[in-house]
Amino acid sequence: MWPAVLPEYFTTPIYYVNGKPHIGHAYSTVATDMLVRYAKVRGRKTRFLTGTDEHGQKVERKAVEEGLSPKAFVDRLIPDFVDAWKAMGCEYDDFIRTTDARHEAFVAEMWKRAVASEDIYLGEYEGWYSAADEAYVTEKDVENGRSKETGAVVERVKEPTYFFRLSAYGARLMKFYEEHPDFIVPEGRFNEVKSFVKEGLRDLAVSRPTVRWGIPVPGDPEHTIYVWFDALSNYVSALCDGRFPEGDAQDAPNFGTFWPPGGRAVHVMGKEITRFHAVYWPAFLMSAGLPLPTQILAHGWMTVNGEKMSKTAGNFLPPGPIADAVGTDTLRYYFMREIALGQDGDFSHKNLLARYHGDLGNGLGNLLNRMVASIVQKSFDGLVPAAGEITALETTVMETASRASDNARKHLDAMQPHKALEAIWELVAATNKYIDLSEPWKLAKSEDGKARLSTVSYTVLESLRWLSVMLWPVMPTKSDAIREQLGLTPLMPTVSLDLWPTVWGGLRAGTKTKPGAALFPRFDEDGERAVMARMGVTLPPKDGAIAKAPKPKKDKPVSTETNETKKAEAPKTDKPALPEGLIGIDDLMKVEMKLGLVLAGERVPKSDKLLELKIDVGEPEPRTILAGIGQHYEPEALVGRRLAVVANLPPRPMMGRVSQGMVLAVSDANGLSVLSPDKDITPGVRVK
Ligand code: MSP
């Protein structure tokens, strides 16, 4: 939980500049930007740092491949990072490069402090090194020449090296962890770190004699400082302007303000580098006599359309074209809504568009459009009308607004934006429903209805005002657009002013609204094709797929193995070809949809989405089916219910378990619902 008034300092990992930024990097930066913005809305003084990690073997080698000096190579890539963060709407206060003089001077001083604490000694390292991860890898973590943890190629190294006496820090680290039970979130990662430390720490090699591209070891320039000792120091060097914070840190005001004990420092990063931040970094700081950061937030890993990002898959998607095609805030919303911060998740173009049309277009955009663009213009000359007599309908909206605001705040305090957005969308849904129930279009037709119409319009507009504040951390541009249409100024967070909405009625009657463009304009099929193309995805052609299909050989059945063949091949029959977009009953019957009865259910550990259900589908044994509905149903509540299930999908491994089918469900801005018959139909019968 966030202590009341401390200034807050948020950092992203500093990114390796051996390639251009992709959406995995963008996810980290957006998550951090969202946390910073939330702290700002709550009136905190904030500082946001990002940057680049430029030294080390990996960059050195990449530069050689390109025939450039390492510095020329990294300089060339920096604009890509700057542009990507701009495209993602991320507003940092400082961008540190590990090649900055202010940083190099600080790292050299950190080293000297460790030497003075007698934590550095010269020895020899013999073992494995992964250049891709810039990490030393122990024998037991190597298999077939690769790191078991990351799959990166390892190489044998035997070289003189300076060691850091990490083994001396086990007890002090454990004590710190005990005294700071929120140091690492999520808790699962904290437990992993504690068991790693408990197993006993070995001294850590912290210099490389064979790598030239790095900061020279003070007093022994034959060695360069190991890239992680160098990189981790960025979080403090950026606050210190090349000085080392002494005593009360008079010389480094940002350090005094933002680093503990003066401020709260939160490091955001991907789960794979938790150990560097949670074990090595605190030990280096202790050795230098500096306080430790407040919190480490390890987020999960993102796959792309279900696949791991890799060179071979060619799916390192740059964020810019996606943000250009669907809007920066749509992508930010998708990241924060679709993936629980701390858990793994997937980026899928299809789901991105579904969220765009559903939650955003039909939910939020529609709300603004229904009210500002039409009713308020037609009936009130574009001015916000005053609310009159309040009925139970308005009370419901106000209560939902209060609940959404409380819950969203609670979830954002706990760094759970996906839950916060879910809470906020309760207000979106409730307000849309309120419009449906109040039927303002009917009220507008009669003079008698005018008073009621004022109240209804005010209620919707005020609800939109609340939404504009609560959405600002995730969707700053759309929040401003909503406010502009409401006739309000953009949200301007101010230190020590908590803007989070709590009081109904802030919107003044008489304010001049300003109808503008639809927030999330709908695209038709051609539009969708164009948007997909801008994101680099080519959809199969609209027509001609059947006409162009090769004739299947007579004696061979048509394979339905892959999507591609399904799309491309049309078995030759006597029946005329169906018009494009239609399927025959035979096609429908290929999908074995059955009625299932839920016998048991439990949550899959470490996933807040997945439930493991035992479902009777009329076979001798119940099926085990994994369903991503855990944010909407408790497993116990499903036991005894009848659900529609697809029973002829191939078994699908998920989170170490295997799913033997799929539960059918529908969702929109009102939530998600499984499909259930309203009579006690026998399990196993076909859905048709
Ligand atoms: N340079 C180090 C970090 C030093 S911090 C003192 C590094 N850089 S990196 O460029 O390889 O990756 C940085 C971060 O990018 C990861 O920790 C993670 O936050 C993010 N991601 C990279 N790929 C990702 C996904 N596929 N999914 C989510 N985040 C990912 O490690």
Side-chain angles (χ1 to χ4, degrees):
M1 282 311 214
W2 305 48
V5 284
L6 284 185
E8 310 243 27
Y9 176 46
F10 295 89
T11 65
T12 71
I14 48 170
Y15 302 100
Y16 287 130
V17 275
N18 55 328
K20 296 181 189 240
H22 56 64
I23 56 164
H25 302 130
Y27 177 70
S28 270
T29 314
V30 166
T32 316
D33 184 75
M34 180 277 299
L35 292 171
V36 176
R37 287 177 186 270
Y38 173 63
K40 279 191 167 146
V41 176
R42 300 296 313 280
R44 309 273 158 68
K45 187 175 166 72
T46 60
R47 191 164 181 85
F48 175 9
L49 174 74
T50 189
T52 42
D53 189 355
E54 306 188 4
H55 292 127
Q57 187 165 355
K58 186 156 58 167
V59 170
E60 189 174 59
R61 286 184 180 168
K62 215 48 207 201
V64 171
E65 274 172 33
E66 306 260 322
L68 290 169
S69 74
K71 185 66 169 61
F73 173 77
V74 291
D75 281 350
R76 221 176 46 170
L77 280 164
I78 299 304
D80 288 312
F81 286 85
V82 172
D83 292 349
W85 305 153
K86 202 165 167 208
M88 291 311 303
C90 298
E91 284 179 5
Y92 46 80
D93 298 291
D94 193 2
F95 188 108
I96 188 143
R97 301 180 54 181
T98 52
T99 48
D100 288 349
R102 58 174 174 157
H103 174 76
E104 296 192 347
F106 181 87
V107 173
E109 191 57 35
M110 280 288 282
W111 181 278
K112 288 185 202 156
R113 302 278 157 149
V115 171
S117 302
E118 297 182 358
D119 280 331
I120 300 247
Y121 64 92
L122 188 61
E124 187 179 67
Y125 175 78
E126 181 172 4
W128 300 103
Y129 191 79
S130 152
D133 305 321
E134 295 287 12
Y136 297 93
V137 187
T138 57
E139 199 69 51
K140 71 172 176 36
D141 292 325
V142 171
E143 196 172 63
N144 299 329
R146 288 178 180 272
S147 151
K148 275 191 206 162
E149 201 186 329
T150 65
V153 173
V154 293
E155 55 201 282
R156 197 76 193 165
V157 178
K158 186 173 183 217
E159 57 193 26
T161 182
Y162 286 96
F163 281 89
F164 178 83
R165 221 177 283 283
L166 189 64
S167 56
Y169 282 90
R172 284 173 71 182
L173 285 169
M174 286 309 291
K175 183 163 177 280
F176 179 82
Y177 299 152
E178 268 152 36
E179 287 167 1
H180 299 85
D182 293 330
F183 182 52
I184 304 170
V185 280
E187 208 184 343
R189 298 269 157 237
F190 203 172
N191 293 336
E192 280 170 19
V193 166
K194 284 188 218 159
S195 22
F196 174 74
V197 175
K198 257 191 220 148
E199 270 175 31
L201 294 173
R202 302 201 326 192
D203 290 349
L204 182 72
V206 283
S207 74
R208 305 288 317 269
T210 48
V211 178
R212 299 311 330 134
W213 179 232
I215 302 173
V217 165
D220 191 352
E222 288 307 301
H223 290 255
T224 53
I225 296 178
Y226 171 47
V227 64
W228 276 98
F229 188 97
D230 165 354
L232 288 161
S233 305
N234 89 88
Y235 301 131
V236 176
S237 72
L239 294 175
C240 294
D241 272 337
R243 298 182 201 91
F244 201 83
E246 306 281 358
D248 59 2
Q250 293 288 336
D251 279 351
N254 278 330
F255 180 84
T257 306
F258 291 105
W259 197 257
R264 253 187 119 245
V266 180
H267 299 319
V268 179
M269 78 214 59
K271 62 181 182 181
E272 83 290 357
I273 53 174
T274 318
R275 184 185 300 169
F276 294 93
H277 286 79
V279 181
Y280 305 163
W281 175 225
F284 299 155
L285 285 166
M286 284 175 179
S287 177
L290 294 177
L292 270 47
T294 318
Q295 201 162 50
I296 281 167
L297 169 63
H299 65 68
W301 264 52
M302 190 196 288
T303 48
V304 168
N305 298 317
E307 276 184 61
K308 206 175 153 204
M309 275 189 252
S310 71
K311 246 196 219 155
T312 19
N315 56 358
F316 285 120
L317 303 183
I322 305 174
D324 278 354
V326 292
T328 298
D329 283 7
T330 301
L331 184 54
R332 288 172 65 103
Y333 174 78
Y334 180 89
F335 281 165
M336 293 300 107
R337 176 68 187 83
E338 183 88 9
I339 303 170
L341 200 52
Q343 311 279 329
D344 291 342
D346 186 47
F347 170 83
S348 122
H349 294 93
K350 212 171 118 224
N351 290 347
L352 176 69
L353 288 192
R355 292 255 179 226
Y356 177 90
H357 286 308
D359 308 1
L360 298 177
N362 291 342
L364 181 62
N366 203 17
L367 200 54
L368 186 70
N369 207 31
R370 287 169 97 177
M371 196 46 69
V372 180
S374 54
I375 295 165
V376 176
Q377 306 314 309
K378 281 186 207 132
S379 303
F380 302 104
D381 290 334
L383 302 179
V384 174
E389 201 183 318
I390 300 298
T391 71
L393 287 177
E394 285 73 43
T395 311
T396 305
V397 176
M398 291 181 218
E399 283 172 0
T400 312
S402 274
R403 199 173 49 246
S405 162
D406 284 352
N407 288 340
R409 189 184 49 214
K410 198 176 73 202
H411 293 311
L412 286 167
D413 283 346
M415 303 204 265
Q416 296 277 286
H418 71 293
K419 288 195 180 150
L421 288 169
E422 208 173 284
I424 294 169
W425 250 257
E426 275 181 30
L427 180 57
V428 173
T431 314
N432 266 319
K433 188 166 165 197
Y434 168 74
I435 299 182
D436 295 342
L437 294 174
S438 310
E439 302 183 309
W441 49 91
K442 281 195 189 154
L443 298 173
K445 283 192 190 138
S446 72
E447 260 317 297
D448 295 353
K450 192 92 190 241
R452 184 80 199 117
L453 186 62
S454 299
T455 306
V456 172
S457 304
Y458 184 85
T459 306
V460 176
L461 297 175
E462 175 65 359
S463 165
L464 278 160
R465 186 187 70 84
W466 278 49
L467 289 166
S468 76
V469 182
M470 295 192 283
L471 289 174
W472 189 77
V474 176
M475 303 204 283
T477 314
K478 295 297 177 195
S479 156
D480 285 352
I482 295 174
R483 295 178 70 82
E484 194 182 349
Q485 296 206 23
L486 293 178
L488 299 172
T489 51
L491 200 73
M492 272 177 286
T494 313
V495 173
S496 54
L497 213 62
D498 187 345
L499 299 179
W500 200 252
T502 50
V503 182
W504 187 264
L507 186 62
R508 284 223 211 110
T511 306
K512 178 107 188 90
T513 63
K514 198 174 156 206
L519 287 184
F520 305 98
R522 190 154 256 297
F523 3 94
D524 58 12
E525 205 189 328
D526 284 334
E528 182 151 328
R529 196 173 292 275
V531 166
M532 282 292 208
R534 284 172 69 191
M535 293 193 282
V537 180
T538 317
L539 293 176
K542 216 161 131 185
D543 42 39
I546 293 179
K548 275 190 239 138
K551 280 187 197 164
K553 295 223 172 77
K554 251 192 179 161
D555 52 351
K556 278 202 183 154
V558 176
S559 157
T560 50
E561 279 299 308
T562 65
N563 284 338
E564 283 68 33
T565 47
K566 260 195 242 161
K567 272 177 219 138
E569 292 179 349
K572 197 175 179 216
T573 67
D574 293 332
K575 291 180 203 156
L578 285 162
E580 214 266 318
L582 299 183
I583 60 166
I585 197 81
D586 299 346
D587 292 316
L588 177 66
M589 293 316 281
K590 278 186 203 155
V591 185
E592 204 181 311
M593 272 183 282
K594 286 183 168 183
L595 193 73
L597 173 65
V598 182
L599 304 177
E602 62 173 31
R603 288 190 171 275
V604 173
K606 295 196 187 146
S607 165
D608 62 351
K609 275 198 187 154
L610 271 192
L611 301 184
E612 187 186 80
L613 304 173
K614 297 281 177 214
I615 303 187
D616 176 3
V617 287
E619 296 165 345
E621 291 287 330
R623 300 254 188 136
T624 300
I625 297 185
L626 298 169
I629 55 177
Q631 288 168 328
H632 305 273
Y633 289 98
E634 286 308 322
E636 303 73 38
L638 290 170
V639 174
R641 285 195 58 178
R642 286 166 162 78
L643 314 176
V645 162
V646 180
N648 61 340
L649 290 167
R652 179 161 175 230
M654 288 152 103
M655 306 267 314
R657 302 175 182 215
V658 176
S659 184
Q660 302 167 308
M662 188 171 117
V663 166
L664 293 176
V666 285
S667 72
D668 70 1
N670 290 318
L672 176 147
S673 168
V674 290
L675 296 179
S676 231
D678 58 7
K679 294 200 177 72
D680 283 351
I681 308 287
T682 320
V685 299
R686 275 193 90 133
V687 176
K688 49 186 180 178

